[in-house]
Amino acid sequence: MKENTASSTAYTVLQGLIYIAKCTEHRYLVPDEMYRLGEQVLLASDEGRKRLAELDKPAIGIKTAIREFIFLPGITLHYILRKRCIEEKTREAIAGGVTQVISLGAGFDSLAYRLSCEFPDVNFIEIDHPDTQKFKENAFDQADTVSTDQANLSYLSVDFTHQNIESRLQGFAAFDSSRPTLFISEGVTMYLTEDEITHMFQSMRNLAGVGTKFLFTALEPRESPRNNTRLALFLYLKLIGEPIKWSMEAPRLGAFLEKQGCVLHSVDATDEFKSRYLRSGHQPRLHHGEYVAMAEFQ
């Protein structure tokens, strides 16, 4: 990620969500509040307004299809499918007793804000790179219909590649180590080295202890038969300064988590997304290669 700019990937994901809501038959997947908050974020910057304007052009469908064919088939729809899965798992964790949710690398996601309004007794903390976080906070501040005074929602700026999450959270007044905690990491692990990921696991264990849950996405290796990502995407991400550094085959994830002192509870991938969230009869082209995992520290 380049200095003093919000993540290009954060913009791309959010633009994809708005595209699904405005331009496709799958608009039912995007909750109204998610759409409204996402639009507010994009309206708050020149880059965001440019991305919104692209969605009103007649050829946007063709352009999206070509981009997906070159880089990553089915990825635009995948963005909202994985978010629906993460939200469902988060709600289940809260129903099961979690009272603190910490989002690592939240990007332009609105989940913590939306759930903080719905669950006032749950403590929510968003952690992200200072530049990306600044853009989102400023966007919410400029929106007349968005309240940024949620007592149970806090923001903490951390550069994951240069700063220690453990020390930053330990010194953060909003963090409560005694609360049953769920950490969320969506679209982050593939941008970290294995050493950085191992350090992240150690930090979470030290911060919140046994019983802490970790909900995260992971990427299958490029050569995996379960991954339809094109080589062009890996080259493009390297070019824009956001290279893929880590991947893990889903069948090997349990063994990897065991080394981190965790047990794997679930893995949800494209087949689960399709059966759970898409309406019957819809057969769109879907992305294969990224999955959502839930683990618990033992």
Side-chain angles (χ1 to χ4, degrees):
M1 179 171 158
K2 296 178 181 178
E3 293 290 333
N4 302 315
T5 60
S7 165
S8 173
T9 300
Y11 277 115
T12 298
V13 172
L14 188 51
Q15 183 187 36
L17 297 180
I18 302 300
Y19 170 79
I20 293 296
K22 289 185 67 173
C23 309
T24 77
E25 63 181 338
H26 305 294
R27 57 181 56 90
Y28 63 89
L29 291 168
V30 185
D32 291 343
E33 185 73 349
M34 181 188 291
Y35 174 84
R36 184 177 68 85
L37 292 168
E39 192 173 51
Q40 291 290 350
V41 170
L42 291 180
L43 284 170
S45 69
D46 290 340
E47 176 65 20
R49 288 188 289 273
K50 175 185 173 183
R51 301 270 186 149
L52 279 176
E54 288 179 356
L55 300 181
D56 293 327
K57 295 179 179 179
I60 184 60
I62 296 174
K63 181 179 178 181
T64 300
I66 292 173
R67 185 170 58 242
E68 288 196 357
F69 177 79
I70 294 172
F71 292 113
L72 219 173
I75 188 59
T76 310
L77 183 57
H78 175 78
Y79 292 144
I80 184 59
L81 292 175
R82 82 179 184 193
K83 286 188 179 296
R84 289 291 299 267
C85 180
I86 288 169
E87 180 164 343
E88 180 179 302
K89 297 287 185 181
T90 301
R91 289 178 177 276
E92 289 175 357
I94 292 173
V98 161
T99 60
Q100 182 166 251
V101 177
I102 301 174
S103 182
L104 306 173
F108 290 155
D109 186 68
S110 63
L111 179 64
Y113 174 82
R114 290 184 291 110
L115 293 188
S116 70
C117 299
E118 187 175 341
F119 299 99
D121 295 329
V122 178
N123 186 38
F124 292 87
I125 300 173
E126 277 199 6
I127 301 176
D128 205 353
H129 190 281
D131 294 327
T132 298
Q133 195 169 76
K134 177 183 65 178
F135 271 73
K136 183 163 74 173
E137 285 191 83
N138 289 343
F140 282 5
D141 286 341
Q142 294 172 28
D144 295 335
T145 57
V146 178
S147 170
T148 56
D149 296 327
Q150 299 297 115
N152 61 327
L153 174 60
S154 303
Y155 299 93
L156 178 63
S157 296
V158 175
D159 185 338
F160 294 108
T161 60
H162 297 97
Q163 293 179 301
N164 186 297
I165 298 173
E166 184 177 347
S167 62
R168 292 284 286 144
L169 265 176
Q170 283 177 336
F172 191 51
F175 173 67
D176 185 348
S177 62
S178 68
R179 285 177 176 257
T181 299
L182 168 70
F183 286 91
I184 301 174
S185 177
E186 178 188 1
V188 173
T189 61
M190 64 276 292
Y191 298 115
L192 303 177
T193 66
E194 185 160 331
D195 285 345
E196 289 167 344
I197 290 171
T198 296
H199 182 72
M200 180 187 292
F201 273 92
Q202 292 172 343
S203 295
M204 287 186 287
R205 171 181 285 280
N206 293 339
L207 285 164
V210 173
T212 296
K213 294 179 171 58
F214 185 29
L215 179 63
F216 64 99
T217 60
L219 190 67
E220 291 274 356
R222 185 174 65 84
E223 63 275 11
S224 168
R226 292 176 294 276
N227 193 343
N228 65 356
T229 305
R230 313 290 200 207
L231 174 61
L233 178 68
F234 289 82
L235 298 176
Y236 171 72
L237 290 174
K238 185 175 181 179
L239 179 66
I240 65 172
E242 299 177 17
I244 299 297
K245 298 179 181 178
W246 184 78
S247 59
M248 174 65 62
E249 291 180 305
R252 297 178 53 226
L253 183 63
F256 174 79
L257 290 173
E258 187 176 345
K259 294 179 181 178
Q260 312 302 323
C262 294
V263 61
L264 177 63
H265 284 316
S266 64
V267 171
D268 293 276
T270 303
D271 290 343
E272 288 76 23
F273 298 162
K274 180 179 179 180
S275 64
R276 197 176 301 158
Y277 306 116
L278 291 179
R279 287 177 177 171
S280 177
H282 286 190
Q283 298 293 328
R285 188 167 193 178
L286 298 173
H287 165 58
H288 295 264
E290 186 182 41
Y291 54 90
V292 177
M294 175 68 91
E296 182 176 343
F297 286 87
Q298 299 294 291

